[in-house]
Amino acid sequence: MNKSFLWYVVVIFALFVFTMMTLFKFNNTYNMLTKNTQLSAWSLTQMEVETIELDHQIDVYLLDQTASKKPLNLKFDVLWSRYKTFLTSDEMAAVRNQYDSNATVHQAFAILKKHEKAVVEGDRIGIGKLKNDLAQILPKIRNLMIVNFTGQQSIEHRQIIQDTRIQIYCDMAFIFVVLTYLTIRHYKYNTYQQKMAWDDALTELKNRNYLFQLIKRFKKSQTPSTLVLFDINGFKDLNDTFGYPFGDRVLRTVSQALGELCTTPNMYCARVGGDEFAILIVKNQVNTKAMIKELEIELTKVLMTIDPTKKTSLSFGVASSHAMEDAYQYVKRSANLFNNADLALNIAKRQPTLHPSIVFYSQRIELEHRKKRQLTSELAKLIENKRQDELYMCFQPIIARHAPKLGCEALLRWNHPTYGFIDPQYIIQIAEEAGVAKRLGHWIMQQVYLALTQEWAEFSHRIEVSINLSDSLFDEDLPQVLSKIFASKDNYLESIVLEITETMTLDEMERSSAIIRKLEQLNIRMSLDDFGTGWSSLYNLNHLHFTKLKIDKSFVCDINSKQNQEYFVSAIVTLSHQLGIKVVAEGIEQLSQLNKLMELGVDEYQGYYFSKPITKQKFAKFCVQYFDVNSVSEIHHLH
Ligand code: C2E
Ligand code: MG
Ligand code: MG
């Protein structure tokens, strides 16, 4: 329970107690006054009435000589007990003490006592005297009544009532003030909470929650709406290079520009993630696509003014709740606007060459997404299933010029019953995204181990298998995982080569070199795959220790026609050999390419010219023939 809530409870409780006390006080005063007034009024009235009735009965008795004394006696007795009760009972104590009533009633009671005998005997003379005496006392008794309602005490009572009323007004005013204070406090707190819940503290734009509320509201009212999500590519680098305060400034600048661009009431903008923003356009009459393109141009301009590196850019993903048709694009009606726009944004981000970088959520994307979801869930099951034959490994021979060993590259294959062969790079991508890439990597290693120990058992120590590593496999656990799979019985660690690409090593150079050092200690060799396609190939070569380097097939295909490619390969071969690194060329399809690469000093060759990737059984047959021939120039006869 937080402090402020506790405080709130205490105040409410105190207010409740205070209100109860006020009511209690009021009740007491009311009871006291009404009881007193009612009682005194009633008893004094009764006394006067009964005195008058006795007087009247005396008249009747005196005027009619034949009248019975009984009624008179009765009235006399009634009045007697009235006076007596008044003078002696506890209930009358309060009334007795007022307006000298005790003395007056004593006097009246004395008159009754004085003439009691005459009344009992019916003595008309005595009774006549009683009448005279009563005539004396009656005005005094009546006066008691009058002063009861108009006398000092009643004035005092009225004063008490007046005071109590003022007191209650004051109390009510106090309660009102406290309640008003609490209400204002509560309102402010709520407004603050709402602001915190719906506003983005850094940019002062609305936040993701607010956007979700809006989307929900417009969906409910079936208002046509288009959601544009965009984010800043390269923002992380900007943050890392120039620090977080600078990153914040970039975000604020973009937000401000966004706010200024979204001025019409049918446009809502929000910051929905670190560097991700949203514009929700509702009931839009004008051409939304043109409008989004305009937004892209304006926001990119703003981004360029603040980014000193000029390396950042914006990617846009758009989804619409209604069909948006034109000559080029069909945007399917989207049930889940945010997810769809996010999906479109992810696709835009994955296409760095797209310009302008805007992707509209479409039917094609939806089908693609569905397919991806299906493949992702099936992949996870296939890895666990030992009896499936959809997912398997192929092996493509790698011919070494001088070494007596035969190499091969393990390549993943998925022959899907509906979609046919799935691109292995796509399989790796979905495995990475679904978090099963590590399990898939272990499965691949197991398959290699099984092939080495079973189908290829007789050649196993003359075979060298290259295994491609996916991003999540390349971590500190890798040496241990490899030892467990390849060296739990006989040691096959020397029969494998790990292929990594430079995008994997680039991100964290220190970490990568530490992992590679550990692998070296286990005598595991590393190969740098797709060399020449990245930006910092030479940097990698200089800083990380590789046994082999694989020149990408894009350099091989034109090696005879483009002199540049030849120079490049030649330079790489020279440099690598000086560094003690062997060079492998992949993608060799023709003899002329092979000859040129041999001429340039490349050490190992891989490509369709020798063999396409083949199953482990076929590779076993390839081994038989290879170890028979054992000469590069004759190997092409094998296929
Ligand atoms: P990569 O590691 O560069 O593999 C070489 C690719 O070139 C293979 O494509 C191979 O079939 C293809 N190739 C070999 N020789 C020739 C040729 O003469 N001409 C042509 N046009 N292509 C040739 P594949 O099997 O489709 O694999 C594509 C990529 O998918 C691989 O590139 C690798 O990055 C990834 N991949 C494949 N299998 C695995 C795997 O088991 N694990 C991981 N992490 N990645 C894999
Ligand atoms: Mg490879
Ligand atoms: Mg490659």
Side-chain angles (χ1 to χ4, degrees):
M1 215 189 306
N2 70 23
K3 247 183 174 173
S4 114
F5 182 69
L6 213 71
W7 188 87
Y8 195 80
V9 169
V10 168
V11 171
I12 291 288
F13 185 71
L15 212 60
F16 173 74
V17 171
F18 183 74
T19 313
M20 290 312 285
M21 275 167 59
T22 306
L23 284 176
F24 183 71
K25 214 161 70 186
F26 171 76
N27 200 36
N28 271 357
T29 312
Y30 176 83
N31 277 349
M32 186 269 283
L33 292 181
T34 49
K35 205 168 139 193
N36 208 344
T37 312
Q38 275 173 6
L39 199 65
S40 59
W42 179 79
S43 65
L44 293 173
T45 310
Q46 280 304 107
M47 214 152 66
E48 188 197 352
V49 168
E50 282 162 10
T51 309
I52 291 168
E53 276 177 2
L54 178 65
D55 182 56
H56 176 71
Q57 202 55 53
I58 290 172
D59 285 347
V60 171
Y61 185 73
L62 290 181
L63 285 175
D64 182 1
Q65 293 296 318
T66 61
S68 161
K69 63 178 182 182
K70 248 186 178 173
L72 180 65
N73 281 352
L74 199 65
K75 288 282 175 210
F76 187 85
D77 287 346
V78 170
L79 191 59
W80 179 281
S81 54
R82 169 70 53 209
Y83 287 163
K84 197 168 178 188
T85 308
F86 186 87
L87 291 170
T88 56
S89 76
D90 291 342
E91 289 85 23
M92 290 296 122
V95 187
R96 271 199 305 270
N97 296 331
Q98 295 170 29
Y99 326 119
D100 228 4
S101 54
N102 196 29
T104 308
V105 178
H106 257 298
Q107 206 183 336
F109 193 43
I111 292 170
L112 292 193
K113 279 181 184 165
K114 187 175 147 194
H115 300 288
E116 184 188 8
K117 195 167 171 253
V119 173
V120 172
E121 290 170 356
D123 170 13
R124 291 179 189 271
I125 297 165
I127 291 170
K129 284 179 185 163
L130 170 61
K131 182 173 166 62
N132 288 341
D133 288 349
L134 279 182
Q136 302 282 315
I137 201 73
L138 194 62
K140 284 188 184 175
I141 286 178
R142 182 171 296 136
N143 196 43
L144 282 182
M145 266 287 297
I146 294 164
V147 291
N148 183 47
F149 290 108
T150 58
Q152 183 59 33
Q153 185 149 9
S154 75
I155 293 168
E156 278 168 16
H157 282 179
R158 275 204 299 277
Q159 191 57 46
I160 290 172
I161 289 172
Q162 188 68 14
D163 290 350
T164 312
R165 201 161 63 185
I166 290 169
Q167 170 106 45
I168 286 171
Y169 284 158
C170 290
D171 289 356
M172 294 316 281
F174 175 72
I175 292 169
F176 177 75
V177 168
V178 174
L179 280 179
T180 310
Y181 169 73
L182 286 180
T183 310
I184 291 172
R185 223 180 106 92
H186 194 69
Y187 172 78
K188 277 189 177 167
Y189 182 71
N190 262 1
T191 321
Y192 173 74
Q193 287 286 322
Q194 215 169 56
K195 201 171 154 52
M196 291 298 283
W198 283 352
D199 284 13
D200 176 52
L202 177 71
T203 60
E204 292 183 2
L205 287 178
K206 294 292 176 197
N207 64 15
R208 176 192 282 253
N209 290 348
Y210 182 79
L211 183 79
F212 282 175
Q213 288 278 339
L214 278 184
I215 292 175
K216 214 163 134 189
R217 184 170 7 123
F218 291 127
K219 191 177 170 189
K220 207 170 165 193
S221 61
Q222 299 197 329
T223 311
S225 34
T226 300
L227 179 66
V228 183
L229 290 184
F230 72 90
D231 87 356
I232 308 172
N233 303 314
F235 179 74
K236 188 180 175 297
D237 294 340
L238 216 59
N239 241 349
D240 292 346
T241 317
F242 298 101
Y244 282 86
F246 180 77
D248 286 354
R249 224 171 74 214
V250 172
L251 293 176
R252 277 199 297 265
T253 309
V254 172
S255 307
Q256 198 187 340
L258 184 61
E260 283 163 14
L261 288 167
C262 300
T263 43
T264 55
N266 63 339
M267 285 172 93
Y268 303 86
C269 48
R271 178 177 173 225
V272 290
D275 60 350
E276 197 171 313
F277 297 87
I279 308 156
L280 184 67
I281 307 165
V282 288
K283 284 193 255 171
N284 196 30
Q285 303 299 321
V286 295
N287 186 340
T288 314
K289 287 187 88 178
M291 190 170 162
I292 294 164
K293 280 183 188 157
E294 190 65 29
L295 272 169
E296 192 264 348
I297 292 169
E298 291 304 317
L299 289 166
T300 306
K301 263 191 220 160
V302 172
L303 187 64
M304 286 304 108
T305 57
I306 188 159
D307 172 18
T309 66
K310 311 284 181 235
K311 279 188 186 158
T312 49
S313 61
L314 297 175
S315 286
F316 288 71
V318 186
S320 191
S321 66
H322 55 293
M324 223 167 71
E325 243 169 319
D326 66 20
Y328 316 101
Q329 196 81 42
Y330 168 71
V331 178
K332 205 175 176 298
R333 182 181 174 82
S334 46
N336 196 337
L337 213 55
F338 190 88
N339 283 359
N340 294 351
D342 202 39
L343 198 65
L345 174 62
N346 280 333
I347 294 169
K349 282 170 77 74
R350 280 206 298 269
Q351 299 177 39
T353 49
L354 190 70
H355 189 78
S357 182
I358 305 172
V359 170
F360 289 81
Y361 185 78
S362 63
Q363 200 170 22
R364 188 181 56 76
I365 292 178
E366 189 176 275
L367 291 177
E368 199 51 50
H369 183 57
R370 237 185 263 160
K371 176 181 167 187
K372 195 171 173 181
R373 271 219 312 256
Q374 183 193 345
L375 290 179
T376 306
S377 86
E378 286 181 12
L379 180 63
K381 287 180 201 144
L382 284 177
I383 301 169
E384 303 301 331
N385 184 357
K386 288 204 167 71
R387 291 154 68 139
Q388 56 84 27
D389 55 3
E390 280 181 42
L391 198 67
Y392 59 94
M393 297 307 292
C394 270
F395 301 89
Q396 187 176 29
I398 302 174
I399 314 299
R401 191 175 191 175
H402 301 298
K405 286 193 171 187
L406 171 63
C408 68
E409 179 172 10
L411 294 162
L412 184 62
R413 292 291 175 264
W414 184 357
N415 189 4
H416 193 276
T418 319
Y419 303 113
F421 279 101
I422 315 277
D423 177 5
Q425 270 171 319
Y426 185 63
I427 307 174
I428 300 299
Q429 183 202 325
I430 60 173
E432 284 287 348
E433 284 173 15
V436 294
K438 248 188 171 183
R439 266 160 58 204
L440 177 62
H442 296 173
W443 181 86
I444 289 170
M445 289 173 188
Q446 282 289 352
Q447 302 305 307
V448 171
Y449 177 76
L450 288 178
L452 276 170
T453 52
Q454 293 174 3
E455 284 82 1
W456 312 334
E458 66 178 289
F459 320 103
S460 63
H461 289 289
R462 286 188 283 166
I463 292 177
E464 207 173 73
V465 192
S466 297
I467 300 171
N468 291 288
L469 292 186
S470 64
D471 287 3
S472 55
L473 264 184
F474 188 63
D475 65 5
E476 287 75 6
D477 297 338
L478 185 60
Q480 204 198 338
V481 169
L482 287 164
S483 305
K484 209 171 151 199
I485 296 175
F486 290 99
S488 53
K489 289 186 194 152
D490 289 340
N491 190 346
Y492 285 92
L493 287 173
E494 285 178 28
S495 304
I496 59 167
V497 178
L498 302 180
E499 289 193 9
I500 60 170
T501 55
E502 48 191 27
T503 47
M504 291 161 67
T505 56
L506 250 183
D507 285 349
E508 291 165 84
M509 193 53 90
E510 294 249 316
R511 187 167 164 248
S512 300
S513 43
I515 299 169
I516 291 179
R517 267 201 304 278
K518 270 195 178 173
L519 292 169
E520 263 177 349
Q521 285 163 12
L522 291 173
N523 284 335
I524 298 169
R525 284 156 303 156
M526 304 292 299
S527 175
L528 185 57
D529 203 358
D530 302 339
F531 187 82
T533 53
W535 291 99
S536 50
S537 305
L538 288 178
Y539 184 85
N540 269 323
L541 218 51
N542 195 18
H543 287 81
L544 300 173
H545 192 249
F546 291 99
T547 329
K548 292 184 185 184
L549 174 158
K550 282 182 97 171
I551 298 177
D552 189 65
K553 49 182 174 290
S554 57
F555 291 95
V556 173
C557 62
D558 301 325
I559 192 104
N560 286 307
S561 53
K562 287 189 184 157
Q563 195 130 52
N564 278 359
Q565 310 285 47
E566 189 184 328
Y567 292 154
F568 178 84
V569 174
S570 165
I572 289 305
V573 170
T574 312
L575 180 67
S576 303
H577 285 170
Q578 279 164 352
L579 291 170
I581 300 171
K582 288 223 159 73
V583 179
V584 186
E586 61 182 3
I588 304 168
E589 293 186 356
Q590 293 153 12
L591 180 62
S592 57
Q593 292 167 335
L594 174 67
N595 288 338
K596 177 59 85 187
L597 293 162
M598 284 172 82
E599 189 189 305
L600 293 175
V602 171
D603 305 281
E604 295 179 20
Y605 316 100
Q606 175 184 0
Y608 293 173
Y609 176 72
F610 296 106
S611 169
K612 285 198 166 181
I614 47 181
T615 60
K616 55 185 176 180
Q617 292 82 3
K618 282 190 181 162
F619 187 74
K621 285 184 191 154
F622 189 94
C623 288
V624 174
Q625 293 175 308
Y626 175 82
F627 290 119
D628 236 22
V629 175
N630 216 354
S631 149
V632 175
S633 53
E634 290 184 43
I635 287 165
H636 63 277
H637 297 303
L638 297 181
H639 60 100

